[in-house]
Amino acid sequence: MKMFSIAALAGDGIGPEVMREAIRVLRAAEKKFGFKLDITEAPVGWAGIDAVGKALPDVTLTLCKKSDAILFGSVGLPDRDPTIPKEERPERAALLRLRKEFGLFANLRPVRLPKALAHACPLTRERQGDGIDILVVRELTGGLYFGRPKKTEDLGGGNARATDTMAYSTPEIERIAHVAFRAAKLRRKKVTSIDKANVLENGVLWRDVVTRVGQHYSGVTLEHMFVDNGAMQLMLRPAQFDVMLCENMFGDILSDEAAALAGSLGMLPSASLGATSGEKTFGFYEPAGGTAPDIAGKNLANPIAQILSAALMLRHSLGLNDAAAAIENAVQQSIEAGNRTGDIFNPNEAGARRVGTREMGEAIASALR
Ligand code: IPM
Ligand code: MG
């Protein structure tokens, strides 16, 4: 039987309750498809700070290093931020640190609006066109989030000056561009590369390198778009997009915008992948939404993003394609059966039933069985 070890880091806010449902669904998949997951949970984020004083405890990092993949919940509780220095806060000290530590340069965020949820999309049916099915490919270890210098200088007299550095090199752009083109080959064969080449040096280099990489993929259409226009086009004509290739910050922003089109941020999974060595791709799988402290612990959160992230883990790191597709189908079935957490519930929708986090997880697990 195939065996894999998984580090499950639930983190803060709604993290633990959506992680519980993802594990429930993984256990159902194990039985059905005959593989075994050795899942070890460890603290991260404020949970790590509360346990041992660090957002990324040493035991957690060690566990991650010996695992085949990381299933991550979410970290960060903005209300508690003022109590510690910014470098120690979970977003930087745990999330960005893990991305860098494991070289997770490729972030895949598939945004799909299920037909049954057309009502949850803020756009009119006409604007939804033939349907929304976009893969945002976001560069994850470069650009403004990691560039140096990064600092705030005290200028005296109550004034300060903050600097962040945006820098990309040719190889960094090449490798993420290859990810986007390879993904497009398996989809609708179109890449829209997002940049700000009319203003930024980074944008000019990005456009040149992506164009060059694109020449190796003759069946894939490449189009370039300025990021401001891209943000607008997502609202006006989202059906035009197949793969959107973005640098780190543009991808961060546009993926949240795209997620809103899919009904809710609670529906958006993500995979963060490093280089493939041999057959294996180490990966980090997390919902793209945050900790949602306002609804944490109330059985209100939508567990679908976490469950779909677990499916991406089976596909990209464990090579369990059938099990991954079965989980995605089970999610689809559970939505078609009318199960709705609060974020995708509309009282006027015929046949819709408002359910909690646990009930949604159970519905998906039983659809899988
Ligand atoms: C995301 C999040 C993170 C990011 C934050 C929490 C640091 O917004 O994964 O999109 O900016 O990458
Ligand atoms: Mg974000």
Side-chain angles (χ1 to χ4, degrees):
M1 187 179 315
K2 288 188 182 160
M3 293 263 300
F4 303 95
S5 51
I6 305 301
L9 318 184
D12 308 318
I14 60 170
E17 57 200 296
V18 294
M19 180 65 83
R20 194 186 56 221
E21 299 315 315
I23 292 176
R24 185 196 305 282
V25 171
L26 285 172
R27 292 299 182 211
E30 258 182 338
K31 283 219 184 71
K32 179 154 183 186
F33 290 90
F35 58 89
K36 182 89 194 102
L37 302 178
D38 179 6
I39 302 176
T40 310
E41 302 194 39
V44 73
W46 284 100
I49 294 170
D50 291 339
V52 300
K54 272 162 83 171
L56 184 61
D58 298 342
V59 283
T60 303
L61 183 57
T62 308
L63 170 72
C64 291
K65 285 183 178 159
K66 47 179 214 220
S67 300
D68 293 307
I70 303 171
L71 187 59
F72 194 87
S74 48
V75 293
L77 298 172
D79 283 355
R80 294 183 62 181
D81 278 351
T83 62
I84 53 169
K86 52 186 187 292
E87 299 76 22
E88 292 172 25
R89 292 176 193 158
E91 290 86 339
R92 287 200 203 183
L95 190 55
L96 295 195
R97 166 105 195 274
L98 281 166
R99 288 175 182 169
K100 201 66 174 178
E101 178 85 30
F102 290 100
L104 305 170
F105 68 90
N107 183 220
L108 312 181
R109 297 186 165 180
V111 177
R112 220 167 280 131
L113 177 67
K115 286 246 169 343
L117 288 186
H119 69 273
C121 175
L123 302 185
T124 59
R125 305 270 168 141
E126 277 118 70
R127 289 218 190 280
Q128 290 173 28
D130 296 334
I132 299 170
D133 182 0
I134 302 170
L135 178 67
V136 179
V137 174
R138 171 187 175 195
E139 201 290 328
L140 204 60
T141 52
L144 274 171
Y145 293 27
F146 291 96
R148 293 285 184 265
K150 186 179 197 75
K151 60 182 176 186
T152 304
E153 295 152 285
D154 188 353
L155 299 181
N159 295 319
R161 184 167 184 278
T163 306
D164 295 280
T165 303
M166 185 172 190
Y168 271 105
S169 62
T170 302
E172 283 177 298
I173 303 170
E174 276 170 357
R175 64 183 183 176
I176 191 71
H178 280 292
V179 170
F181 283 106
R182 281 199 299 265
K185 266 173 79 176
L186 302 174
R187 296 172 47 97
R188 301 196 308 282
K189 303 187 175 47
K190 178 175 173 192
V191 171
T192 304
S193 176
I194 301 293
D195 64 44
K196 189 71 185 171
N198 49 349
V199 179
L200 301 178
E201 293 291 316
N202 272 270
V204 175
L205 182 65
W206 184 272
R207 198 171 272 224
D208 281 356
V209 175
V210 173
T211 302
R212 240 184 304 119
V213 171
Q215 286 159 0
H216 299 281
Y217 297 85
S218 54
V220 179
T221 308
L222 169 63
E223 141 192 295
H224 300 280
M225 196 177 276
F226 295 137
V227 60
D228 45 355
N229 186 28
M232 180 172 75
Q233 293 300 325
L234 267 175
M235 289 299 107
L236 295 179
R237 239 167 29 84
Q240 72 185 283
F241 295 111
D242 178 15
V243 174
M244 292 183 95
L245 168 60
C246 309
E247 64 84 44
N248 202 342
M249 185 171 72
F250 297 162
D252 186 19
I253 296 170
L254 293 186
S255 61
D256 272 28
E257 190 189 353
L261 298 178
S264 162
L265 202 48
M267 303 283 295
L268 184 64
S270 89
S272 303
L273 308 175
T276 301
S277 67
E279 297 252 288
K280 286 207 157 175
T281 304
F282 184 80
F284 177 100
Y285 300 85
E286 62 171 330
T291 52
D294 51 323
I295 59 164
K298 297 184 181 157
N299 198 38
L300 291 173
N302 188 343
I304 289 181
Q306 188 77 54
I307 291 168
L308 291 175
S309 297
L312 292 177
M313 174 178 84
L314 298 185
R315 177 173 299 123
H316 292 287
S317 285
L318 312 185
L320 300 167
N321 293 324
D322 293 349
I327 291 177
E328 286 159 353
N329 280 333
V331 167
Q332 186 70 29
Q333 277 177 41
S334 154
I335 288 171
E336 277 161 16
N339 297 302
R340 304 281 185 267
T341 42
D343 55 324
I344 51 175
F345 178 70
N346 176 340
N348 301 322
E349 188 196 352
R353 186 172 52 258
R354 191 167 174 157
V355 299
T357 310
R358 180 184 294 273
E359 294 69 38
M360 184 65 106
E362 273 165 1
I364 294 167
S366 69
L368 188 63
R369 290 183 201 113

